[in-house]
Amino acid sequence: MVLPFDVSTLNPEQRLAVEWPDGPVMILAGAGSGKTRVITCRIARLMAEGVPPYRILSVTFTNKAAREMRERIEGMVGKEDAKMLWMGTFHSVCARILRMDGKLIGIDPNFVIYDDSDQLGIVRELIKQKNLDEKSIQPRGVLSEISRAKEKMLTPEEYTKEATGFFERLVADIYPEYQARLKRASAMDFDDILFYTVRLLEQRAEALEKYQNRFLHVMIDEYQDVNFSQYRLAQLLSGKHQNLTIVGDDDQSIYGWRGADVSLMMRFGSDYPNAKVVTLEQNYRSTKKILDAAYNVIKHNRTRTEKRLWTENNEGTLIRVREAGTEQDEAMTIADAIISDQRLGRRKFGEFAVLYRTNAQSRVMEEAFLTMRIPHVLVGGTRFYDRKEVKDMIAYLRVVLNPSDNAAIKRVINVPARGIGATSLEKFENWAAKNDSSLFEALKDQAIQTNLQTKARTAVKKFLVMIEDAVAIMERGSVTYTLKHILQQSGYQDELKAERTDESISRLENLQELINVTTQYDQAADEATLSGFLESVALIADVDSLNESGDAV
């Protein structure tokens, strides 16, 4: 057997992890220890031994990591074989499974994914509907508690049984109605995607058998960051063949605040008593000073697995700690240090990163960088897909895909302003609630239309025609044609052109960039669909869109 990579480039522990045969494997991979190389080489080795690529599932935590891994594997085994691998984030893999087989548990394959603002909007409405004070009952807190319930695989009924305190009982009252709203709109939040995939595999034997037979090998990266639903998913998918490879490092578990449970990684040995454990301790990235400092901090964690990274790299310079008098002093100290190194030719701007603890701290840094003319990119600021005009167009596309999406309809029904005001909208909402129907169906009701002002009635009819025409275009054309139709027929583009302000020009440029995005999707996707495009947008993260090639801090 000829392997598609040079084994001699692997250190002994890496080689052991790559070549270990079937069965459960835990790879404890310290920072900078070459774990991505190990995973990709292990996948390439399995394929070289005859495992069909479509029988290998590799799960990562970011789209960016999945892209990087796929590109490396393409370089080893070729693009065609690499394309057949099941590879992606937990959410993208689960969304794919639900679109294929979710109908077995009553899930519409054209479901839309609600983002954070959509979810908060529903919770706010429910709080208001129950005459609760939004200042004392924070919608964000309610949504977080619902999220935690779903991560633990608790249905609204199961959560209600466990609710004891005042806040939990309040959430228990909101949770079932929140889910009912999502169901009426054929929508899911991010936690639902995992929740319902696990439910599908637990409740439908034919689905479990299908995916257990399909996936001969399951590999999960960043295992220290899994929550209970992700842990359960891994168990179910690998349950038949037991070829589960996990890669992680308990020292790097930092996401407890969003449901990650590092103890699930520590349970691997008891879940799989015959598991092979390989520890990667050679670091290729850092200097000895960095590794010593890191170890002398992390060694105080009482529950960690003992490991100490080492490197053949040089000693490196000492770590410097500086104390500043004010936040402005701190920002200017950082800016001065960057300017100094850049002017002396030691480093480029793109070789610096500034980390801060809360979003509010970015302001003084941005001001200092603007003053010193330091090019910079803010990660976690207003993302492209969070800009108003982009969100408006995405909402229009969501309505085209799924007319039951009430949140999307409410966002765009009067954008741009077309005379359908709050009073008119309320009439349609009341009809929808009374008839347990969608807002889109309510808009079609002739009796309500007749009672509207002439301008509003005409606007509603035009809106319905525009959406119905867009549905026809979607069914026979590309995502780009559908988007262009909406931009033109909604009047959105014309309104921005008429404004002739710097802001409107900038917003038009963003819309043109959105057209570029859909064009690239239409050309690159194996099967370009509006549902596929909207799913890719919904699951994108800040880090996925970070351009590392630019020379900016």
Side-chain angles (χ1 to χ4, degrees):
M1 179 187 65
V2 179
L3 291 172
F5 55 87
D6 185 358
V7 174
S8 66
T9 61
L10 302 172
N11 67 38
E13 289 75 22
Q14 290 175 332
R15 184 168 178 175
L16 179 62
V18 168
E19 295 181 343
W20 190 262
D22 293 355
V25 180
M26 178 162 74
I27 302 170
L28 289 169
S33 61
K35 66 163 184 175
T36 304
R37 178 160 177 72
V38 166
I39 300 171
T40 52
C41 287
R42 186 169 172 82
I43 291 172
R45 192 265 298 171
L46 289 169
M47 291 170 67
E49 289 178 352
V51 177
Y54 60 83
R55 298 199 70 188
I56 300 172
L57 170 64
S58 179
V59 182
T60 62
F61 266 77
T62 66
N63 293 307
K64 184 183 176 187
R67 275 199 306 270
E68 182 187 344
M69 210 173 284
R70 190 181 292 278
E71 285 166 5
R72 290 199 194 187
I73 293 171
E74 283 176 2
M76 294 182 195
V77 303
K79 206 164 190 174
E80 287 307 307
D81 282 342
K83 194 160 65 173
M84 289 191 283
L85 287 164
W86 273 62
M87 182 175 284
T89 63
F90 271 106
H91 288 95
S92 64
V93 168
C94 288
R96 184 176 176 184
I97 290 173
L98 288 176
R99 292 201 192 281
M100 291 169 67
D101 292 294
K103 55 185 176 293
L104 291 172
I105 55 171
I107 290 172
D108 182 347
N110 287 326
F111 65 83
V112 292
I113 301 170
Y114 272 13
D115 65 15
D116 188 62
S117 61
D118 297 324
Q119 297 163 36
L120 279 172
I122 294 176
V123 173
R124 284 197 179 99
E125 285 179 12
L126 291 172
I127 288 173
K128 186 178 178 183
Q129 188 178 298
K130 294 177 183 300
N131 295 316
L132 297 168
D133 181 10
E134 193 177 310
K135 291 178 182 176
S136 57
I137 306 297
Q138 291 290 328
R140 173 75 63 190
V142 172
L143 194 58
S144 295
E145 184 65 15
I146 292 173
S147 176
R148 277 192 286 272
K150 291 180 182 180
E151 285 167 0
K152 294 175 184 173
M153 295 303 302
L154 296 175
T155 63
E157 296 75 25
E158 290 165 338
Y159 180 84
T160 299
K161 289 176 185 175
E162 292 191 6
T164 52
F166 168 77
F167 182 70
E168 287 78 11
R169 287 197 297 272
L170 183 110
V171 172
D173 190 33
I174 292 174
Y175 184 10
E177 294 186 43
Y178 171 79
Q179 286 305 108
R181 292 277 188 104
L182 289 174
K183 189 173 182 180
R184 273 202 297 272
S186 292
M188 290 194 193
D189 61 23
F190 296 114
D191 298 300
D192 282 332
I193 296 170
L194 297 171
F195 182 93
Y196 284 117
T197 306
V198 172
R199 278 283 184 264
L200 169 67
L201 298 175
E202 287 179 334
Q203 294 177 357
R204 300 306 296 251
E206 63 268 45
L208 181 62
E209 185 179 9
K210 172 182 176 178
Y211 289 102
Q212 283 188 343
N213 285 334
R214 175 186 284 272
F215 299 130
L216 185 58
H217 288 269
V218 176
M219 302 188 186
I220 300 181
D221 192 13
E222 307 289 5
Y223 201 80
Q224 75 277 353
D225 292 330
V226 299
N227 59 36
F228 181 75
S229 60
Q230 292 162 339
Y231 164 82
R232 182 73 184 123
L233 183 74
Q235 282 189 319
L236 288 164
L237 292 175
S238 63
K240 181 175 182 178
H241 302 290
Q242 298 283 295
N243 294 326
L244 175 62
T245 300
I246 69 165
V247 186
D249 179 10
D250 55 323
D251 288 342
Q252 296 183 60
S253 179
I254 60 171
Y255 289 114
W257 55 274
R258 70 175 188 198
D261 184 355
V262 72
S263 71
L264 297 171
M265 182 177 181
M266 299 298 98
R267 275 169 57 173
F268 193 78
S270 57
D271 288 342
Y272 304 94
N274 63 330
K276 178 63 180 176
V277 179
V278 183
T279 305
L280 306 181
E281 293 180 299
Q282 183 175 358
N283 176 284
Y284 294 92
R285 184 188 299 155
S286 305
T287 63
K288 291 174 182 174
K289 293 286 186 192
I290 292 289
L291 294 183
D292 286 345
Y295 176 74
N296 279 289
V297 171
I298 201 68
K299 72 179 183 182
H300 297 288
N301 279 12
R302 293 173 184 170
T303 57
R304 68 185 289 269
T305 306
E306 178 54 33
K307 69 188 92 58
R308 182 160 189 170
L309 299 184
W310 60 276
T311 184
E312 292 178 349
N313 294 339
N314 58 36
E315 282 289 326
T317 55
L318 290 168
I319 295 169
R320 288 178 291 169
V321 179
R322 295 191 185 181
E323 189 172 330
T326 66
E327 58 182 358
Q328 285 77 17
D329 292 342
E330 181 181 56
M332 289 308 295
T333 298
I334 294 169
D336 286 337
I338 292 171
I339 286 287
S340 175
D341 271 13
Q342 190 268 340
R343 285 178 178 165
L344 291 171
R346 291 176 186 158
R347 293 183 182 87
K348 296 177 181 177
F349 287 123
E351 293 175 329
F352 289 92
V354 179
L355 306 181
Y356 48 86
R357 191 160 179 82
T358 63
N359 285 328
Q361 289 176 282
S362 73
R363 182 186 59 80
V364 287
M365 286 304 316
E366 289 182 86
E367 288 173 356
F369 281 15
L370 288 168
T371 301
M372 304 292 278
R373 297 188 177 181
I374 297 174
H376 56 281
V377 176
L378 183 66
V379 181
T382 303
R383 300 185 307 150
F384 174 75
Y385 292 105
D386 285 339
R387 290 167 184 162
K388 182 186 182 301
E389 58 277 9
V390 176
K391 288 199 78 166
D392 287 343
M393 283 305 117
I394 294 296
Y396 268 115
L397 290 174
R398 279 169 43 183
V399 176
V400 174
L401 176 68
N402 174 20
S404 298
D405 189 343
N406 290 353
I409 289 177
K410 285 165 73 172
R411 182 179 180 96
V412 298
I413 188 70
N414 201 40
V415 176
R418 48 173 69 94
I420 307 173
T423 305
S424 300
L425 182 59
E426 189 177 0
K427 291 176 183 176
F428 290 114
E429 285 188 285
N430 290 339
W431 186 93
K434 183 180 176 182
N435 292 276
D436 193 25
S437 181
S438 69
L439 194 50
F440 194 79
E441 287 303 312
L443 291 172
K444 296 179 182 178
D445 186 75
Q446 295 294 323
I448 306 177
Q449 285 186 16
T450 304
N451 289 325
L452 297 178
Q453 297 286 337
T454 303
K455 185 178 181 181
R457 183 167 61 250
T458 304
V460 167
K461 288 180 177 178
K462 281 186 176 180
F463 178 81
L464 291 169
V465 169
M466 175 186 63
I467 297 301
E468 285 161 1
D469 287 349
V471 170
I473 294 170
M474 172 192 71
E475 288 171 351
R476 68 173 188 269
S478 66
V479 178
T480 304
Y481 286 138
T482 309
L483 174 61
K484 286 181 175 178
H485 166 80
I486 291 167
L487 278 168
Q488 190 175 30
Q489 295 303 312
S490 66
Y492 202 105
Q493 207 168 26
D494 290 341
E495 184 174 85
L496 288 176
K497 284 179 180 177
E499 280 185 30
R500 296 177 180 272
T501 63
D502 289 343
E503 184 185 351
S504 67
I505 292 169
S506 174
R507 291 173 68 189
L508 282 167
E509 288 170 351
N510 288 335
L511 291 173
Q512 181 55 52
E513 181 58 24
L514 183 60
I515 292 172
N516 295 342
V517 171
T518 59
T519 302
Q520 288 170 9
Y521 171 80
D522 286 330
Q523 292 170 349
D526 293 334
E527 185 183 349
T529 62
L530 183 54
S531 64
F533 172 72
L534 290 173
E535 182 180 303
S536 68
V537 169
L539 299 181
I540 206 162
D542 286 332
V543 71
D544 296 320
S545 52
L546 175 62
N547 178 12
E548 292 185 351
S549 61
D551 189 23
V553 178

